[in-house]
Amino acid sequence: MRASSDVGGTFTDLVFYEVDPATGQCGAVRTAKADTTPPNFDEGVLNALDKSGVPISRLDFFAHGSTVVINALTERKGVRTALITTRGFRDVIEIARGNRPDLFNFNFRKPKPFVERYLRAELDERVTFRGEIKRAVDLGPLPDLLDHFRWNGVEAIAVAFLHAYVEPSNEQAVIAEIRRLWPEVSVLASHEVSREWREYERTNTTVLSTYVHPITQRYIERLEDQLRDGGYNRPLYMMQSNGGIATAKAAKANPIAMVESGPASGIFAAAYMGRHIGEPNLIVLDIGGTTAKCTLVEDGEVKVTTEYHIERDARNPGYPIQTAVSEIVEIGNGGGSIAWIDEGDKLHVGPKSAGARPGPAAYGHGGTSATTTDANLVLGRIDPASFVGGEREPDWAAVDAAFAPLQERLGLSKEEVARGIVRIANANMTAALRLVSTNKGYDPRDFALMAFGGGGAMHAVALAEELRVPHVIVPVNSSVFSAWGMLLTDLRRDYLQTRLTRLDPVSAPQIAEGFAAIEQQAGADYGQGDVGFEHFLDMRYIGQEHTVKIAAVRSPDGTIDVEATREAFHAAHEKRFTYRLPNPIEIVNFHLVATVAVPKPDLAEKSVTGLALEEAVIGRRTVDFDQHGIHEAVIYDGLRLEPGMSFAGPAIVQEPSVTCVVPPPHRVSVDRFGNYHIHLAA
């Protein structure tokens, strides 16, 4: 039995399937959901396992994606952290960058560092950018510094020296001495977290990873203990932001690598599904209870970047995190996003969410604010009879009470307010989708929109209409798609090393040497197994500041084809920035992806029994389709729809935890795997 679990803002999802030990054949994929249980998210995982009826002792493989890291960062619930850095650089994380997004905001304040100045210390040391040790670190002041940290209640220490990304000896010496003098304290060094240059980004990344290190360790160890008590005696695997899984030991060593673990698995699952159904170019949208995440998949490949930020918006530059993350845009718009009115009587939706507790007003857990889920319920899009999989009745009194103040302020009916909430939520998500498509030089009409998560199928068609995307795909198991994606991922580690190198034939041996050194390190980290490698290069025209990542083109003999790689860079740069230059090209980072394959479930085809389409109809009800009007919609049982079936809107397709809204005159078809394809009318 193989299983995976994904903790969302509202629900914790579980996906599992059996494998015949004799034949290796995979059984049907089954699912379960339980309420997310903050702050002890592991309780939700165990509740989902209990709800599934699968004894923990029967599990042979378990992968888990958690929001513990991102929640600790955004809610400032990490531990008191100190920083030790090179003399003269203690204020790097406060100086930050001059990239003010809102240039004319005279009240702008830079984001407050996660380490206050009195907990930032300096040591004498110096390494050049070429890796030459000019001054070995002076450990003399370290005992007094540690006493100062103890007295101030520090629980974790980050060590980040100026050029440790190329030569970490001084950091290693400090780490060893701290562990000798204070073995109980949590300590991380920058070279263990990132081997890229840019002192602010690398230092901040180290600080954030250190800030969440103790609580992540406790969380993973608590989950390991509970699984072990239930009879699970195999390794626990944790989902990473790069779209791969890692052992619990590796995840505890560098927790910041899990900052966006949930969305990553869904994105890679979308790419996997797209390749199987002949749709390699996808705009991917994951709408959960708290947030909506989106990205773009081109030619079946997911883009991974280390230029990631949390809390970045139109006014705030946020905090950079220099770790491999699937390239996503995330906004605070999900099923639990709260509708509110500003001082100018303008309606907004999000980013604040009702979360799992109390959740939307209709859940009856004490929620007092109208949310996107409540609005969809009022408009008839969500079936009250099967609300939350039929497990609870909507609390209509709470819904009425939540909408009343909005109606009074706006002078509108409940239905009009609900329509406005959905429109604004859709507008917010459309803006995010443009950031990953049109803003990067891609035409949405050349892509299909694959939508999943609890709210994906409900909003996808409206978003596709706005972007003029001709084709929407709602994948099978869409409400637990991210959890399902964890069963499709391999063990993966991303190694990035800054090494400035000219891209020319003369440098070919240096390029080969650079990758060979990283491959050797990756082999040592994995220890055993058949390790596969992918080679990428972050490059720029000499004189530029930032880079473009491309896959290194290899010759038949396995060496890097410099000329083909050069042309690939020109083409990628032109697509991204609309121009190319005759300037020399410089490699900034060598990027090696090292993977070890794990068994994956078969992508099972849905059986065809010859059922008539009419037999999948479970009723009709009045649904508000916004600009398409109010119609009596045909309600289909999604579990009974079979491959080859086709029908047109107005329609609603319902599963226990999925509602797919199909306005007129768009048409739906079901493929051989059970995915829904909505073909938009011209």
Side-chain angles (χ1 to χ4, degrees), residues 601-646:
D602 299 326
L603 192 54
E605 296 189 8
K606 194 170 184 179
S607 59
V608 178
T609 66
L611 192 75
L613 178 63
E614 292 72 21
E615 295 178 75
V617 176
I618 56 178
R620 287 172 169 78
R621 70 169 179 269
T622 301
V623 177
D624 189 326
F625 291 98
D626 198 3
Q627 69 265 32
H628 293 282
I630 299 173
H631 299 273
E632 184 181 56
V634 181
I635 314 302
Y636 292 92
D637 180 353
L639 300 181
R640 304 194 75 193
L641 292 175
E642 296 184 356
M645 288 183 172
S646 180

Side-chain angles (χ1 to χ4, degrees), residues 216-290:
T216 306
Q217 274 194 312
R218 290 194 289 267
Y219 172 79
I220 295 176
E221 288 170 358
R222 189 167 64 244
L223 181 58
E224 285 181 303
D225 290 342
Q226 291 172 319
L227 291 172
R228 192 179 301 112
D229 291 343
Y232 180 68
N233 56 8
R234 301 294 184 90
L236 170 65
Y237 293 96
M238 302 298 295
M239 188 68 201
Q240 306 287 285
S241 305
N242 61 8
I245 54 174
T247 62
K249 180 181 178 181
K252 286 185 285 188
N254 183 21
I256 203 66
M258 296 190 296
V259 66
E260 288 289 3
S261 61
S265 59
I267 292 165
F268 277 80
Y272 177 87
M273 179 66 78
R275 290 192 293 269
H276 278 75
I277 63 175
E279 292 288 349
N281 296 322
L282 298 169
I283 297 174
V284 179
L285 176 65
D286 177 4
I287 305 177
T290 305

Side-chain angles (χ1 to χ4, degrees), residues 543-603:
Q544 287 184 319
E545 169 69 1
H546 292 287
T547 62
V548 174
K549 186 185 297 292
I550 62 112
V553 182
R554 305 189 77 83
S555 302
D557 62 0
T559 60
I560 301 296
D561 186 329
V562 172
E563 289 306 318
T565 300
R566 185 200 309 277
E567 182 53 37
F569 170 76
H570 284 308
H573 190 280
E574 186 171 22
K575 174 175 277 189
R576 178 69 180 87
F577 299 108
T578 74
Y579 68 92
R580 61 174 69 195
L581 296 173
N583 299 26
I585 299 169
E586 182 177 48
I587 299 169
V588 174
N589 295 320
F590 290 75
H591 181 180
L592 179 75
V593 177
T595 57
V596 174
V598 300
K600 301 175 180 62
D602 299 326
L603 192 54

Side-chain angles (χ1 to χ4, degrees), residues 83-368:
L83 170 66
I84 298 175
T85 188
T86 303
R87 183 165 301 282
F89 289 86
R90 70 187 292 199
D91 294 323
V92 158
I93 60 172
E94 191 151 354
I95 296 169
R97 296 288 179 192
N99 54 342
R100 287 172 51 177
D102 191 3
L103 189 61
F104 299 104
N105 177 9
F106 297 112
N107 294 318
F108 172 78
R109 295 291 181 272
K110 289 183 178 180
K112 184 179 178 182
F114 275 67
V115 178
E116 296 182 69
R117 196 170 194 271
Y118 76 97
L119 293 178
R120 304 199 296 261
E122 300 174 340
L123 290 176
D124 277 325
E125 72 87 33
R126 183 51 63 98
V127 174
T128 72
F129 75 97
R130 297 184 186 278
E132 302 160 348
I133 300 176
K134 288 291 187 181
R135 188 182 311 141
V137 63
D138 179 6
L139 299 176
L142 192 57
D144 290 340
L145 289 179
L146 297 184
D147 287 341
H148 170 67
F149 293 158
R150 282 194 194 94
W151 192 84
N152 283 285
V154 166
E155 296 180 55
I157 302 172
V159 180
F161 290 155
L162 185 59
H163 293 300
Y165 63 90
V166 66
E167 173 47 66
S169 299
N170 283 347
E171 280 192 353
Q172 290 167 344
V174 172
I175 290 288
E177 187 68 0
I178 291 174
R179 287 174 177 157
R180 186 183 73 82
L181 296 172
W182 191 1
E184 301 83 13
V185 75
S186 173
V187 58
L188 287 178
S190 71
H191 74 273
E192 299 171 318
V193 176
S194 170
R195 299 299 291 267
E196 290 187 70
W197 68 352
R198 301 189 187 282
E199 64 272 17
Y200 166 55
E201 286 79 2
R202 183 166 44 85
T203 303
N204 191 73
T205 303
T206 308
V207 164
L208 296 190
S209 197
T210 307
Y211 178 74
V212 299
H213 189 225
I215 63 168
T216 306
Q217 274 194 312
R218 290 194 289 267
Y219 172 79
I220 295 176
E221 288 170 358
R222 189 167 64 244
L223 181 58
E224 285 181 303
D225 290 342
Q226 291 172 319
L227 291 172
R228 192 179 301 112
D229 291 343
Y232 180 68
N233 56 8
R234 301 294 184 90
L236 170 65
Y237 293 96
M238 302 298 295
M239 188 68 201
Q240 306 287 285
S241 305
N242 61 8
I245 54 174
T247 62
K249 180 181 178 181
K252 286 185 285 188
N254 183 21
I256 203 66
M258 296 190 296
V259 66
E260 288 289 3
S261 61
S265 59
I267 292 165
F268 277 80
Y272 177 87
M273 179 66 78
R275 290 192 293 269
H276 278 75
I277 63 175
E279 292 288 349
N281 296 322
L282 298 169
I283 297 174
V284 179
L285 176 65
D286 177 4
I287 305 177
T290 305
T291 60
K293 286 81 65 176
C294 58
T295 192
L296 187 137
V297 175
E298 185 180 19
D299 295 329
E301 297 298 325
V302 177
K303 294 174 173 57
V304 174
T305 182
T306 55
E307 294 181 2
Y308 172 73
H309 293 73
I310 61 169
E311 301 181 11
R312 189 176 196 173
D313 56 35
R315 296 190 175 185
N316 188 346
Y319 299 87
I321 296 180
Q322 215 175 46
T323 192
V325 175
S326 304
E327 200 169 274
I328 63 171
V329 170
E330 182 170 358
I331 60 169
N333 261 256
S337 293
I338 292 172
W340 55 282
I341 299 174
D342 64 19
E343 294 178 355
D345 288 337
K346 181 181 178 181
L347 182 65
H348 300 262
V349 179
K352 189 175 180 181
S353 172
R357 294 285 176 168
Y363 282 9
H365 292 322
T368 58

Side-chain angles (χ1 to χ4, degrees), residues 430-441:
T430 299
L433 290 168
R434 292 191 194 281
L435 290 176
V436 301
S437 56
T438 54
N439 285 25
K440 292 192 174 182

Side-chain angles (χ1 to χ4, degrees), residues 264-274 450 481-482 484-486 488-489:
S265 59
I267 292 165
F268 277 80
Y272 177 87
M273 179 66 78
M450 184 175 286
F481 201 64
S482 289
W484 180 71
M486 292 176 198
L488 305 173
T489 57

